[in-house]
Amino acid sequence: MANDLKPTADFEETFGKLDIRLGQVLSAEPAPGTLKKSYRLKIDFGKYGVRTSVGRFTGHPPEELIGRQVMGVLNLAPRQIGDVQSDVLVLGIQFRGAESGEATPVTPMTEGKLGSKLF
């Protein structure tokens, strides 16, 4: 077992509090005013509406992100990132070979219903 794992957490007190849902990227464009190159994404979460996210997914060209389904955390407090208020956190993992913070989004293996909850 890896030594760098974090301590065991209670499901209901941690993961159970997050509202993680499936959305589809409608648009991706450079985010104005950010310290590091980032995209402003408009994401459709079905009955939960269209949300804005700012993220460092710039290892992908915008046209590769548009139409892609992604997982986002809907119930975190909004954050001001550059000139944009980001109101959803798109989940991602480190982009292979990129600097720290540069990510590729977490996507499902098959398309799902927009707004579906991750469990």
Side-chain angles (χ1 to χ4, degrees), residues 53-98:
S53 182
V54 175
R56 294 188 51 213
F57 301 108
T58 55
H60 300 280
E63 58 272 9
E64 189 176 299
L65 294 169
I66 296 169
R68 180 82 55 161
Q69 289 193 328
V70 297
M71 301 305 302
V73 183
L74 301 186
N75 64 332
L76 294 176
R79 290 182 57 199
Q80 190 71 31
I81 302 175
D83 298 342
V84 180
Q85 181 165 301
S86 184
D87 57 5
V88 62
L89 172 67
V90 174
L91 299 178
I93 60 168
Q94 179 75 29
F95 197 96
R96 185 180 292 203

Side-chain angles (χ1 to χ4, degrees), residues 2 10 13 19 41 56 60 67 82 103 108 115 119:
D10 177 73
E13 289 301 313
D19 195 2
L41 306 175
R56 294 188 51 213
H60 300 280
F119 59 90

